[in-house]
């Protein structure tokens, strides 16, 4: 199984999208997050253009491991978290999630581990009798909370850039 990444390259008047089957490997992430020249590290990866990114559909949170936002002033790295579990009717869309900014490989690992643990808790609660609709509502509340925290992190980061 590959470790898929998506790169959003933002120019002064353009936005281009690319994907890589191996752009989310730990070695790549560590190189990008720990260097003063992350764009050079990303340039060494095999990227394929996404000809017409479905702006109206959004990013597939289920199949993307990492999102890079590349701008003239630098690179931001995000971990997509999908809040679906496969238990609900109708099922959560693959775009139902949030992008959380990260700044180190250990942060990426911790975030992924915590997210898997949260989803496991929700699945356990359902298997022990919690109403799937209540579990879905809980999942939605957690998604909103994470979205709020992610926005706060981005605002704080913008103070220093």
């Amino acid at each position: 199984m590959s470790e898929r990444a998506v790169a959003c390259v933002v120019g002064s008047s353009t936005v281009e999208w690319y994907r890589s089957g191996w752009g989310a490997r730990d070695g790549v992430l560590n190189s990008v997050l720990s260097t003063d020249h992350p764009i050079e590290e990303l340039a060494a990866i095999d990227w394929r253009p996404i000809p017409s990114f479905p702006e109206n559909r959004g990013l597939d949170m289920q199949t993307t491991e990492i999102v890079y936002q590349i701008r003239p002033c630098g690179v931001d790295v995000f971990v997509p978290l999908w809040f679906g579990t496969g238990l609900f009717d109708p099922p959560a869309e693959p775009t139902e999630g949030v992008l959380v900014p990260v700044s180190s490989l250990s942060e990426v690992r911790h975030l992924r581990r915590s997210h898997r643990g949260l989803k496991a808790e929700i699945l356990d609660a359902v298997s022990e009798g919690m109403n799937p609709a209540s579990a879905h509502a809980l999942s939605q509340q957690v998604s909103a909370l994470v979205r709020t925290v992610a926005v706060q992190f981005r605002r704080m980061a913008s103070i220093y850039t």
Side-chain angles (χ1 to χ4, degrees):
M1 185 165 146
S2 66
E3 299 174 61
R4 297 179 205 108
V6 171
C8 173
V9 181
V10 180
S12 59
S13 62
T14 62
V15 176
E16 297 177 1
W17 292 88
Y18 298 86
R19 69 174 156 248
S20 171
W22 300 103
R25 289 188 333 259
D26 282 358
V28 173
L29 277 167
N30 194 44
S31 295
V32 169
L33 292 167
S34 63
T35 184
D36 292 333
H37 307 287
I39 293 174
E40 292 174 13
E41 296 293 330
L42 288 171
I45 307 300
D46 180 32
W47 294 98
R48 310 262 181 212
I50 303 174
S52 57
F53 189 79
E55 296 287 341
N56 58 339
R57 246 190 38 230
L59 180 69
D60 186 339
M61 300 284 182
Q62 282 183 278
T63 63
T64 304
E65 300 288 327
I66 290 291
V67 175
Y68 298 102
Q69 181 184 40
I70 304 167
R71 298 173 292 139
C73 61
V75 175
D76 295 313
V77 181
F78 301 89
V79 174
L81 301 179
W82 182 63
F83 289 98
T85 59
L87 295 175
F88 312 118
D89 187 24
E93 292 293 321
T95 56
E96 192 172 301
V98 64
L99 294 174
V100 180
V102 291
S103 59
S104 70
L105 181 57
S106 62
E107 193 176 18
V108 170
R109 290 176 175 162
H110 176 74
L111 185 60
R112 286 176 177 164
R113 187 172 45 253
S114 298
H115 186 245
R116 278 192 306 270
L118 172 66
K119 288 177 81 168
E121 291 291 328
I122 291 172
L123 291 172
D124 287 348
V126 170
S127 70
E128 292 176 13
M130 181 181 198
N131 179 328
S134 299
H136 183 65
L138 174 62
S139 181
Q140 294 300 316
Q141 290 172 354
V142 170
S143 175
L145 176 64
V146 171
R147 235 182 240 109
T148 301
V149 171
V151 167
Q152 290 171 348
F153 281 133
R154 282 194 295 276
R155 285 185 184 148
M156 289 301 295
S158 70
I159 292 171
Y160 300 103
T161 57

